[in-house]
Amino acid sequence: AQSVTQPDIHITVSEGASLELRCNYSYGATPYLFWYVQSPGQGLQLLLKYFSGDTLVQGIKGFEAEFKRSQSSFNLRKPSVHWSDAAEYFCAVGPSGAGNNRKLIWGLGTSLAVNP
Amino acid sequence: KAGVTQTPRYLIKTRGQQVTLSCSPISGHRSVSWYQQTPGQGLQFLFEYFSETQRNKGNFPGRFSGRQFSNSRSEMNVSTLELGDSALYLCASSLGRGGGTDTQYFGPGTRLTVL
């Protein structure tokens, strides 16, 4: 069955430190891969997405992610974290299902806290 | 361009009541998806609509229903509310036909509390 795993429920980093959030997926073909961020009290905002082409994807707010087919991973990275990056991060994979019954599969999220 | 709007933002109901939530997608977007978000379960897919037709449905009981109007606005309804229905309900719109490949644009959500 298709699935998405975000192994880290909660991560704390210091401001200015580098960040890597993990996302592993189980999927039979080349998936569409997404990272979304949810700030407190807000809806989700797309950070970046991948379907094909260069496996290193650049997104908004200085984030990037690398698709590694051999490891079934799509980890999110940022070289220097800012306090405003504290939020919940979700990885999603799609489409799951067939025909008109296709949808995204979502990870449970990683909560990021940033220490000053 | 205005983003996805959801009304109301907060709602308190009691068990057994029913509730209707509204979502207005970004102008020009024809797909609308609904999600239930809870701390323990993450984002759970409820249903997706495209051009007034339900394309896909998640694993929720029949108490949860939705519809989409000709202007792409969507509503979801929960009847006979249970305590476990307390959650943040998120609406997302997309430009294409949806189906798990389009970028979704989310509204701020409706926080439903069932007492």
Side-chain angles (χ1 to χ4, degrees):
Chain A
Q2 293 150 340
S3 63
V4 177
T5 302
Q6 293 181 247
D8 305 304
I9 297 173
H10 186 85
I11 285 182
T12 300
V13 300
S14 298
E15 191 168 19
S18 63
L19 172 70
E20 182 169 31
L21 302 181
R22 296 182 291 165
C23 173
N24 298 105
Y25 64 89
S26 172
Y27 197 82
T30 300
Y32 285 73
L33 296 158
F34 303 82
W35 274 102
Y36 282 84
V37 61
Q38 185 178 32
S39 298
Q42 304 289 322
L44 281 74
Q45 180 184 23
L46 178 71
L47 285 174
L48 46 79
K49 66 178 179 181
Y50 171 82
F51 173 59
S52 64
D54 192 346
T55 56
L56 185 62
V57 183
Q58 301 298 319
I60 63 171
K61 304 185 181 187
F63 285 92
E64 66 178 26
E66 186 171 11
F67 171 58
K68 292 186 177 180
R69 184 189 302 275
S70 62
Q71 298 178 20
S72 297
S73 69
F74 189 57
N75 294 348
L76 183 70
R77 302 195 295 248
K78 187 170 185 178
S80 178
V81 170
H82 188 261
W83 64 266
S84 61
D85 293 324
E88 189 91 16
Y89 291 81
F90 293 91
C91 179
V93 175
S96 171
N100 284 333
N101 197 34
R102 308 192 309 172
K103 59 182 181 291
L104 278 177
I105 304 173
W106 293 83
L108 292 180
T110 297
S111 178
L112 174 66
V114 180
N115 286 333
Chain B
K1 206 180 254 190
V4 177
T5 57
Q6 293 186 246
T7 56
R9 291 292 310 276
Y10 301 91
L11 209 47
I12 299 176
K13 292 286 189 179
T14 57
R15 279 181 300 174
Q17 288 186 308
Q18 67 103 26
V19 66
T20 299
L21 311 182
S22 180
C23 171
S24 292
I26 292 172
S27 177
H29 285 195
R30 296 168 65 191
S31 286
V32 173
S33 296
W34 287 90
Y35 294 90
Q36 181 194 67
Q37 185 179 23
T38 57
Q41 300 294 319
L43 273 84
Q44 299 290 308
F45 173 76
L46 281 157
F47 20 67
E48 179 181 62
Y49 288 88
F50 176 77
S51 291
E52 302 178 66
T53 300
Q54 187 179 87
R55 282 175 52 92
N56 205 348
K57 190 176 189 299
N59 296 322
F60 278 81
R63 300 185 296 108
F64 292 81
S65 63
R67 59 178 176 170
Q68 187 180 33
F69 302 95
S70 58
N71 62 358
S72 295
R73 191 177 69 84
S74 178
E75 290 181 346
M76 66 163 283
N77 184 278
V78 188
S79 62
T80 318
L81 284 166
E82 301 177 358
L83 295 179
D85 297 333
S86 295
L88 181 67
Y89 289 88
L90 292 166
C91 167
S93 73
S94 58
L95 187 60
R97 298 177 64 87
T101 58
D102 293 340
T103 296
Q104 294 188 335
Y105 297 83
F106 284 80
T110 294
R111 174 72 63 185
L112 172 64
T113 301
V114 182
L115 303 177

